[in-house]
Amino acid sequence: MYVVVIGAGEVGTSIAASLASDHEVVVVDVDPDRAEQLKYELDVLTIAGDGTSSEIQTAADVGRADMVIACTDNDQTNLVACGTAKTLGGGFTIARVKSTDFLRTWQGSEGAFGVDFMVCTDLLTAENIVRIIGLPAAIDVDPFAGGLVQMAEFEIDEGSPVAGQTVSEADRFESLTFVGLFRDSEMTIPRGDTGIEAGDRAVVIGSPESVQAFATDVAPETTPDDADDIVIVGGSEIGYQAARLLGERELQPRVIERDRDRARWLAEQLPKSVVMEHDATDAEFLTRENVDDADIVVTALGSDEQNLLVSVLVKRLGVDRVIAVVDSPDYVTVFEEIGIDIAINPRTVTAEEITRFTYESVAENIAVLENDQAEVLELELTEGCTLVGRPISELVSEVDARFVIGAITRDHQLVTPRGDTVLQPGDHVILLVDSDSVGAITSMA
Amino acid sequence: MTSGIRVGWRASVGLAGDVLAALPVPLAFPLLVALYYGESSIPFLAAIAVSLALGAAFRSMKDPAEDLGPREAFLAVALIWFLVAAVGAVPFVVAGVGTVAHPVNAMFEAMSGLTTTGATVLVDFSIHSRSVMMWRQVIQWLGGLGILILATAVLSELGVGGAQLMETESQTQDVNKLTPKISRTAQLIWGIYFGLTGLAVAVYFLLGLAVDPQMGLYNAVAHGFTSVATAGFSPEPLSVGAFHPLIQWAVVPFMVVGSTSFVLIYFAINGEPMRLLRNEEFHFYLGAMATLASIVALGLFLDPSVAYGPEATLRHAVFNVASIVTTTGYASTDYVQWAPAAKHMLFMGMFIGGMVGSTTCSIKSLRWLVALKSFRRDLFTAIHPESVRPVRISGKSVDEGAIRDIYAYLLLSIVIFFLLAVVIVVDAERGDVRVTEFEALGAAATTFLNIGPAFGAAGPYGTFATFPMSTRAVMVVLMWIGRIEIIPVLVLFTKAFWTS
């Protein structure tokens, strides 16, 4: 594919990086230094200039592009860039926006603004938060095959019953497969005799019920469905959308917002939630309002520093689970290292979603794990593709790639993959692949 | 301007002149009645002459260069209400019959009519001509329409005056979305009012043909004018109690419709009945009425001194509660004879009032609803001081400024109401008239909140003529202030209004 990426910020860079190996990528950025820098970091063509200008777009040869991805930090710029690309005959356009207003307008009449696919950063992040709240022990959860299959990543702590067991010992769940094990940022493809240790992060794929059962097993105290006392700190768009989505699930989180007008607005929009107007870094206030009793606290304040402060504060007060929104990808690890349960980076989430979309010609769906060390792909097998007609055990030994098949759906039914399972055309296969082997696997599908 | 007055008073006076010049149109109706029954037409011709002369004089003062801004509108509203009442008093004075021949009494009767209060100083109804009695009805009908137009069109546009209420209302009922043009909105409201009045007249007349004691065309028209207007004058000394029980039942729905928001009635007529049926103020208002009526009915059943029979007990309870809560002021029986408990229930009912955007007076249900919800919110925030909880009416949140204004209005009303009660007691004492505190409170409420009859001598089958003349003069002023919801009048008495 010939892909033009407009905006070389974190999102643009991340997308360009994951596309660069297999596609022709042109990156446009208004900052010449940034463009220059990227040229050396990635195998891409860079153009310095305003991505909304038809002159610059012509220089990027948008006319022959298969895909134009506008992902600057400015909504309007992205929309105009897509509009311009459409007039130049560019291919499929993807715009990143923050405003849910734009998203609603676009959903109301698809193709509005000349955008073929719109990714709303804040909404996407909020959806992610809500998914994690739904499965509190998980670090990451993604649905596959229309919700029939779930991929989830869990941190195994010392008290967990599976710590110290081998995979085959831990594997006592119907239709659940261990597909990956991360230890000290090293990925292992687990075999039956691989040992699970405390501190590992295990990736499992299976039916939502089995994932839930596994969650109950690895973290019994947090998983039962009583995660109903939720506090959202910060009424940013992400905080608001998360509260709204939780409201749709009949959960009514408490929302703490410092700004008077914003608090009022939130209270008007979230009729059943209790909105409090106060500075959440005030420990005395947090105690008075019994925030320490909350099952989950989500910090979605405007700055990473504030989120860090509040996260640490509520953690010290004794909150079980803290989910923090972290704007800078560099801080994600820092947050998790000091004990914040989950750090969500909106830009990473957005980049993943857009990258996932670019894969969809081959992969139906994709999830990127642990700083792109591995990907979970959903492939629809066609008649005559190399993977069809052979038992899995044969494939694993023959194919020169590191991968594990986690689940198969056939005619909307879940099939638990075993060594002797034979893949058939029309199957949806959900598999974990080492990032370096993605190309090899997708070429076989 | 050198005088230091910064209000374009000439514009206000000019507008009042326009209204006065239009008064001969409604005055023509009793004139026709007089001609039909062969009664003297002099009172109405005199009033027409006065209104034309005053109208012309005021219009000549108009300065086309002055714009009608909010201040000018305040002044105009207050002036119009006062001047129309003054011209309305002319036929009573000129006719020169009975108590209303005295200018203060005539002014009382006209102001009571125009403000749709329904309190009367008439003693003997039979000595007055039919045309003069019909003028009382017409002036009430005008008052009902006038306040609707004023509230819906003028005050909502100014965003002041009935003001805080219209702000609240426009938030909860989308009043501004009725049509983009105010004149068109006023026309729609006018049409509904006209239609409902016509319907009431037709229903009363047709029912009157079927039952005995009969309600002839004259009374059907007279009561049609004052039911939807929730006004309360009746040419009969026994009020609606003079007619067949079936007619009494028939009057109740018209009083209720008159006290329902005309904006919501408009939507209901135009295929959106759910907007009315789901409206919280509507629920509150009907609920309050039903509760009070049940309590009163129960009280009457249990009171051995009242022996109406089951249907009549229920009817009198429902009718008189509806009449008081809707601020109409009709009566089906002399409730002064009831036990104190039932009377006190009626007294409480006086303070409720109908919906905003209706023809009713008093505090109005929306204000109570907002105040109650705000109070409930305060209880919650007492425990959680940082919590932010908007007060919602029908799902929409109410502006905090509007809530403060409503509290201010309630406080101001209570202060004025108690002051008036004190004035009534003291002034009656001075005039050697015995008035109990309860009767004084009732009379204060009924005039200031524009309801109609009170208790004691000023009861439904009594008269306000027993109060000293000076008390009646005070009441005239308070009916005026009460009807245009206090602030538009009080603001005229501030220095800031006239200067800065």
Side-chain angles (χ1 to χ4, degrees):
Chain A
M1 279 202 294
Y2 183 76
V3 183
V4 177
V5 177
I6 295 166
E10 277 144 11
V11 176
T13 308
S14 168
I15 293 168
S18 57
L19 295 180
S21 54
D22 301 316
H23 305 282
E24 279 183 275
V25 179
V26 180
V27 179
V28 178
D29 196 275
V30 74
D31 176 3
D33 295 340
R34 178 72 196 138
E36 186 68 16
Q37 188 190 345
L38 209 61
K39 201 173 353 183
Y40 297 106
E41 284 177 14
L42 301 172
D43 180 19
V44 294
L45 171 68
T46 58
I47 294 172
D50 181 356
T52 61
S53 131
S54 65
E55 200 181 323
I56 296 293
Q57 288 204 2
T58 310
D61 207 0
V62 160
R64 81 174 181 92
D66 299 299
M67 193 175 273
V68 177
I69 302 171
C71 51
T72 70
D73 261 339
N74 184 298
D75 286 4
Q76 279 87 344
T77 303
N78 294 339
L79 296 181
V80 174
C82 285
T84 308
K86 270 286 176 230
T87 61
L88 295 175
F92 197 85
T93 53
I94 299 178
R96 164 201 178 191
V97 294
K98 289 202 194 75
S99 152
T100 44
D101 272 351
F102 286 134
L103 182 71
R104 270 195 297 277
T105 309
W106 179 77
Q107 283 170 336
S109 110
E110 294 221 1
F113 312 117
V115 173
D116 294 316
F117 183 68
M118 191 177 273
V119 179
C120 181
T121 315
D122 292 346
L123 185 60
L124 211 57
T125 310
E127 283 170 349
N128 243 328
I129 291 172
V130 170
R131 238 188 342 254
I132 290 166
I133 289 174
L135 206 60
I139 302 167
D140 198 356
V141 188
D142 274 306
F144 285 91
L148 275 176
V149 176
Q150 247 180 9
M151 184 282 297
E153 185 178 351
F154 293 96
E155 171 137 1
I156 310 295
D157 59 22
E158 271 178 41
S160 172
V162 295
Q165 294 185 325
T166 61
V167 167
S168 52
E169 282 170 330
D171 188 8
R172 47 181 176 271
F173 299 94
E174 188 80 16
S175 65
L176 186 85
T177 312
F178 280 84
V179 292
L181 209 56
F182 290 96
R183 184 177 304 160
D184 305 327
S185 60
E186 275 292 310
M187 191 193 71
T188 324
I189 300 273
R191 303 290 166 214
D193 55 356
T194 311
I196 303 171
E197 289 172 21
D200 286 356
R201 287 178 304 282
V203 182
V204 294
I205 293 176
S207 67
E209 298 77 29
S210 62
V211 171
Q212 182 78 42
F214 179 71
T216 314
D217 209 47
V218 290
E221 69 284 2
T222 51
T223 307
D225 297 324
D226 59 0
D228 50 4
D229 188 0
I230 301 165
V231 175
I232 296 178
V233 177
S236 56
E237 186 65 19
I238 293 175
Y240 161 65
Q241 292 293 349
R244 189 182 63 79
L245 292 169
L246 287 169
E248 287 178 3
R249 293 182 166 205
E250 304 301 321
L251 291 167
Q252 294 302 340
R254 288 183 275 164
V255 182
I256 302 171
E257 167 60 47
R258 186 182 188 167
D259 180 78
R260 188 188 190 86
D261 293 338
R262 181 69 181 175
R264 169 84 190 180
W265 184 87
L266 289 165
E268 286 177 4
Q269 302 301 314
L270 303 165
K272 288 185 187 141
S273 294
V274 173
V275 177
M276 280 171 284
E277 178 198 326
H278 203 85
D279 182 356
T281 56
D282 175 359
E284 197 260 332
F285 158 76
L286 295 175
T287 316
R288 177 155 36 92
E289 286 296 337
N290 301 320
V291 172
D292 47 334
D293 287 346
D295 296 312
I296 297 173
V297 170
V298 178
T299 58
L301 292 159
S303 82
D304 288 352
E305 289 76 10
Q306 279 182 316
N307 280 338
L308 185 68
L309 184 59
V310 174
S311 298
V312 171
L313 206 54
V314 295
K315 211 55 191 169
R316 275 191 55 191
L317 286 173
V319 174
D320 292 336
R321 246 175 119 64
V322 178
I323 302 173
V325 175
V326 184
D327 215 35
S328 160
D330 299 342
Y331 289 170
V332 171
T333 337
V334 177
F335 269 70
E336 287 180 343
E337 271 172 7
I338 61 165
I340 307 309
D341 300 276
I342 293 154
I344 290 189
N345 176 251
R347 292 193 172 84
T348 312
V349 171
T350 310
E352 274 179 22
E353 177 74 8
I354 293 175
T355 312
R356 176 184 307 203
F357 197 85
T358 60
Y359 272 103
E360 279 187 11
S361 44
V362 275
E364 293 292 306
N365 211 336
I366 180 173
V368 181
L369 296 173
E370 298 279 320
N371 298 322
D372 208 9
Q373 287 191 54
E375 287 172 12
V376 175
L377 303 178
E378 177 180 343
L379 302 173
E380 186 178 0
L381 303 184
T382 49
E383 193 80 50
C385 82
T386 348
L387 294 171
V388 165
R390 284 189 288 172
I392 291 172
S393 53
E394 229 181 275
L395 283 173
V396 172
S397 52
E398 278 178 26
V399 177
D400 181 27
R402 301 216 306 151
F403 74 101
V404 186
I405 294 181
I408 301 164
T409 63
R410 189 171 291 162
D411 299 327
H412 303 288
Q413 296 288 322
L414 184 68
V415 178
T416 308
R418 295 292 173 238
D420 53 356
T421 311
V422 178
L423 298 175
Q424 294 176 7
D427 282 0
H428 282 246
V429 179
I430 295 99
L431 70 176
L432 178 132
V433 192
D434 186 293
S435 295
D436 300 331
S437 312
V438 170
I441 288 292
T442 51
S443 65
M444 293 170 69
Chain B
M1 217 173 277
T2 51
S3 64
I5 291 178
R6 305 286 288 273
V7 180
W9 62 274
R10 285 169 182 276
S12 318
V13 165
L15 186 64
D18 290 340
V19 173
L20 287 177
L23 269 186
V25 177
L27 276 163
F29 189 79
L31 182 63
L32 290 174
V33 173
L35 294 174
Y36 178 79
Y37 288 111
E39 297 167 349
S40 167
S41 53
I42 302 295
F44 308 107
L45 292 174
I48 288 171
V50 170
S51 66
L52 286 177
L54 275 179
F58 281 17
R59 290 172 89 174
S60 70
M61 281 190 245
K62 193 173 184 170
D63 183 347
E66 281 177 357
D67 285 335
L68 200 70
R71 290 188 201 198
E72 290 73 25
F74 276 133
L75 184 58
V77 164
L79 266 180
I80 289 167
W81 235 255
F82 198 83
L83 288 169
V84 171
V87 172
V90 170
F92 301 127
V93 177
V94 175
V97 179
T99 43
V100 284
H102 189 285
V104 172
N105 283 340
M107 192 63 192
F108 183 100
E109 199 74 5
M111 188 58 92
S112 169
L114 189 69
T115 58
T116 73
T117 305
T120 182
V121 288
L122 296 188
V123 178
D124 186 352
F125 280 49
S126 60
I127 55 171
H128 298 281
S129 68
R130 287 170 179 248
S131 49
V132 166
M133 292 304 273
M134 186 54 89
W135 173 236
R136 290 167 81 230
Q137 308 299 114
V138 171
I139 203 171
Q140 284 210 318
W141 186 79
L142 282 180
L145 174 65
I147 203 70
L148 265 180
I149 298 293
L150 180 74
T152 314
V154 184
L155 293 182
S156 66
E157 184 61 8
L158 291 178
V160 286
Q164 4 88 352
L165 202 52
M166 292 312 296
E167 270 175 31
T168 317
E169 186 189 32
S170 48
Q171 285 180 24
T172 53
Q173 297 186 355
D174 297 335
V175 65
N176 296 325
K177 285 186 192 154
L178 206 51
T179 82
K181 271 185 98 71
I182 293 184
S183 55
R184 177 79 189 123
T185 305
Q187 270 175 20
L188 290 174
I189 297 292
W190 204 78
I192 295 170
Y193 188 68
F194 220 83
L196 286 172
T197 304
L199 186 66
V201 171
V203 168
Y204 298 161
F205 179 68
L206 294 174
L207 270 181
L209 293 177
V211 294
D212 196 59
Q214 259 218 0
M215 186 186 226
L217 183 61
Y218 176 83
N219 267 320
V221 172
H223 289 90
F225 276 157
T226 55
S227 334
V228 179
T230 64
F233 272 160
S234 167
E236 295 295 327
L238 296 181
S239 187
V240 180
F243 306 105
H244 191 273
L246 205 57
I247 292 178
Q248 295 175 24
W249 279 117
V251 170
V252 174
F254 284 106
M255 294 193 288
V256 173
V257 167
S259 47
T260 302
S261 161
F262 274 56
V263 173
L264 293 178
I265 290 179
Y266 170 81
F267 285 122
I269 292 172
N270 282 279
E272 291 180 74
M274 292 324 284
R275 290 181 75 151
L276 173 63
L277 298 179
R278 291 214 180 109
N279 186 278
E280 274 188 59
E281 189 193 8
F282 189 58
H283 299 167
F284 175 84
Y285 160 63
L286 289 185
M289 227 169 3
T291 310
L292 271 184
S294 314
I295 296 173
V296 170
L298 192 68
L300 293 181
F301 271 120
L302 298 177
D303 184 356
S305 67
V306 184
Y308 289 131
E311 184 273 337
T313 305
L314 192 63
R315 170 161 44 87
H316 290 318
V318 170
F319 187 96
N320 291 293
V321 165
S323 167
I324 292 291
V325 174
T326 63
T327 75
T328 308
Y330 284 149
S332 64
T333 181
D334 190 1
Y335 57 70
V336 172
Q337 311 299 326
W338 291 356
K343 276 194 283 194
H344 280 79
M345 281 295 144
L346 289 184
F347 178 65
M348 266 178 60
M350 286 183 171
F351 295 88
I352 299 173
M355 292 175 73
V356 168
S358 71
T359 62
T360 55
C361 320
S362 192
I363 308 281
K364 295 209 170 71
S365 297
L366 184 62
R367 285 197 179 103
W368 287 121
L369 195 58
V370 171
L372 287 174
K373 287 195 164 196
S374 151
F375 178 60
R376 196 175 65 187
R377 186 252 311 261
D378 291 347
L379 290 181
F380 184 86
T381 47
I383 309 165
H384 302 283
E386 287 89 2
S387 64
V388 183
R389 303 213 121 189
V391 170
R392 287 166 201 279
I393 303 288
S394 303
K396 292 187 183 170
S397 55
V398 179
D399 182 68
E400 296 301 320
I403 296 175
R404 275 195 297 278
D405 288 347
I406 284 172
Y407 276 134
Y409 174 89
L410 287 174
L411 186 65
L412 204 56
S413 298
I414 291 165
V415 169
I416 296 177
F417 159 70
F418 276 108
L419 281 178
L420 179 59
V422 170
V423 167
I424 290 171
V425 171
V426 172
D427 207 43
E429 190 76 13
R430 193 187 54 80
D432 227 10
V433 182
R434 285 296 308 149
V435 178
T436 67
E437 270 79 13
F438 179 66
E439 285 166 12
L441 288 172
T446 202
T447 48
F448 176 55
L449 301 175
N450 310 109
I451 291 153
F455 306 98
Y461 292 170
T463 171
F464 278 73
T466 48
F467 289 109
M469 195 66 85
S470 47
T471 308
R472 275 173 268 158
V474 172
M475 286 172 172
V476 169
V477 175
L478 285 159
M479 285 192 276
W480 175 51
I481 296 180
R483 175 88 249 208
I484 39 188
E485 313 231 286
I486 310 174
I487 290 157
V489 176
L490 288 194
V491 80
L492 301 185
F493 297 100
T494 61
K495 192 169 173 239
F497 177 85
W498 296 97
T499 52
S500 66

